[in-house]
Amino acid sequence: MTAAAAAASTDARPTPSADRDLLPTADGQFSPTVDRDLPPTTGRELTSTTDRDSVPADGRPLALAAGRHLPSAIGWRLTPTGTDARFRGLAAVDRRTAWAAGSRGTVLRTTDGGRSWRNVSPPGAEGLEFRDVEAFDARRAVVLAIGEGEASRVLRTEDGGATWTESFRNTDPRAFYDCMTFFDPRNGLAMSDPVDGRYRILSTRDGGRSWRVLPTAGMPEALPGEAGFAASGQCLVSAGSRDVWLATGGAATARVLHSADRGLTWTVTASPIPAGDPARGVFGLAFRDRTHGIAVGGDYRKDQPSPEAAAVTADAGRTWRPSAAPPPAYRSGVAWLPYGRTAALAVGPTGTDLTIDGGRTWRTVDTGSYDTVDCTPDGSCWASGEQGRIARLGLR
């Protein structure tokens, strides 16, 4: 992998970690409003046919008790970011607080539900490509910069981005870090593309203040050409206190690795998402608990089809089955909606898809361009992507 391929610029090679720079797409047709008193949006709504009256009024939390229905009409509402950076890293904390990390070392934070965003980028980070951010509250966050060698770094803030501390800088030119995840505010992992034939896992036990490389004895061998995709901050995800999953592509088979002991030992399973090309594989994962998960991906090249772009598991990733009606195109990000146990959103450069049956069937509900999506327990969902796009899910 090359540093140039990792940056959102030219010379992007069609490798898994080179979706690090996906091919750009035209602006989506969906143009949500910033607030409900502005003109209505022009795009299609995310809709359900159930229980309109059970939903709070617009602008209030969207969380519904388990077992209750989806809102009847919800949709993305763009928020004013004041930048054209591409945000592949997104961490939604609650209905008021979210962080976004992206190109040119840009980090944004909102504490008012997206009405305004503050640029809290680390000083001197303009040459870095942030592809993941994990936030614990309005003050504490960790960001991951991707790239070969010293381009891969981890920075941490404890004061809302007023100051940043670099807590890890990769010194191995063979390593290329893609994603990270946290089990809780203290324990987290980051993953690198294979080094000496195995994925490299970085571990922290102090909230990202310090990191150590874990032993590789429990890591299966990588396939030839296999790597992770730094496309949405979702190639490494966790659920609960110990379970973590790693998504792969670029090889003959797109696989998902699972660890039940915070990255010490791993099992690996083939997914039905097509691979066999450096531009294809699993790009994003989401687990609503330690057993039920969704994988999305496909071929990130805009002129290539992406059949079977989603798969589901109900046994912690031991087996995966393709969605009966998958998204119609490549999708890079996925998140479970906080409206029950069977609804989720998948996003990509050509649109957003909704499932209300746990990932078995999907339908396109928006044609705007987003790279990643994240939801919070109190009912807030956010999406981000190219041209400074950050949107919040709201009621109609």
Side-chain angles (χ1 to χ4, degrees), residues 2-394:
T2 67
S9 58
T10 59
D11 193 30
R13 297 189 298 169
T15 63
S17 292
D19 176 45
R20 314 165 195 287
D21 181 27
L22 299 184
L23 297 173
T25 63
D27 288 342
Q29 301 171 16
F30 186 63
S31 302
T33 59
V34 173
D35 209 341
R36 58 176 173 166
D37 57 351
L38 296 180
T41 68
T42 59
R44 290 182 290 169
E45 298 172 339
L46 306 173
T47 60
S48 172
T49 58
T50 56
D51 206 2
R52 176 184 297 269
D53 294 335
S54 69
V55 184
D58 190 11
R60 296 173 56 196
L62 297 178
L64 299 179
R68 296 181 67 180
H69 299 296
L70 279 167
S72 296
I74 56 179
W76 291 123
R77 298 173 181 271
L78 282 173
T79 63
T81 63
T83 178
D84 63 355
R86 188 165 195 169
F87 294 107
R88 298 188 189 273
L90 179 65
V93 177
D94 53 42
R95 67 187 180 93
R96 296 188 61 82
T97 304
W99 298 68
S103 58
R104 304 191 302 274
T106 307
V107 180
L108 302 185
R109 184 193 64 152
T110 182
T111 56
D112 58 11
R115 290 182 176 84
S116 64
W117 290 86
R118 182 179 179 186
N119 189 327
V120 295
S121 305
E126 295 81 3
L128 299 179
E129 287 293 316
F130 292 134
R131 294 296 177 89
D132 203 352
V133 55
E134 301 291 329
F136 313 117
D137 50 41
R139 298 184 62 80
R140 297 176 297 163
V142 182
V143 295
L144 172 71
I146 60 102
E148 288 181 327
E150 294 191 1
S152 285
R153 306 179 192 181
V154 177
L155 291 83
R156 186 180 191 277
T157 182
E158 297 184 1
D159 53 15
T163 62
W164 292 86
T165 301
E166 182 180 295
S167 58
F168 171 77
R169 181 180 297 202
N170 174 46
T171 58
D172 189 335
R174 302 169 299 171
F176 193 126
Y177 285 85
D178 299 294
C179 296
M180 64 180 174
T181 188
F182 274 79
F183 304 95
D184 55 54
R186 294 188 59 82
N187 296 282
L189 301 176
M191 60 80 67
S192 164
D193 289 338
V195 176
D196 293 330
R198 286 180 168 83
Y199 289 94
R200 177 169 290 180
I201 303 297
L202 201 63
S203 173
T204 181
R205 295 182 179 179
D206 55 13
R209 294 180 182 87
S210 63
W211 299 82
R212 67 185 182 95
V213 175
L214 294 181
T216 59
M219 175 66 72
E221 290 188 4
L223 298 176
E226 190 178 39
F229 291 99
S232 60
Q234 296 180 345
C235 60
L236 187 73
V237 302
S238 56
S241 62
R242 304 189 68 81
D243 288 273
V244 58
W245 294 264
L246 189 159
T248 80
T253 303
R255 306 193 298 172
V256 178
L257 284 68
H258 172 229
S259 171
D261 56 11
R262 293 184 180 173
L264 293 177
T265 60
W266 298 78
T267 57
V268 62
T269 303
S271 85
I273 292 179
D277 185 278
R280 299 178 190 155
V282 179
F283 282 72
L285 297 168
F287 277 78
R288 77 162 190 246
D289 51 42
R290 70 174 309 273
T291 57
H292 297 87
I294 297 174
V296 298
D299 190 318
Y300 72 75
R301 296 169 295 189
K302 64 181 178 180
D303 60 341
Q304 296 296 315
S306 291
E308 299 182 344
V312 297
T313 182
D315 56 11
R318 288 190 292 272
T319 60
W320 293 85
R321 65 180 186 275
S323 297
Y330 156 76
R331 296 294 181 251
S332 54
V334 60
W336 292 93
L337 284 165
Y339 309 137
R341 297 178 60 80
T342 60
L345 292 173
V347 300
T350 61
T352 298
D353 303 292
L354 171 71
T355 179
I356 57 174
D357 57 12
R360 290 186 292 275
T361 62
W362 299 81
R363 61 188 177 92
T364 302
V365 292
D366 170 44
T367 56
S369 175
Y370 297 100
D371 293 315
T372 191
V373 58
D374 196 18
C375 296
T376 67
D378 71 349
S380 177
C381 288
W382 309 72
S384 64
E386 63 181 339
Q387 297 298 313
R389 292 168 62 91
I390 304 178
R392 183 180 176 184
L393 207 60

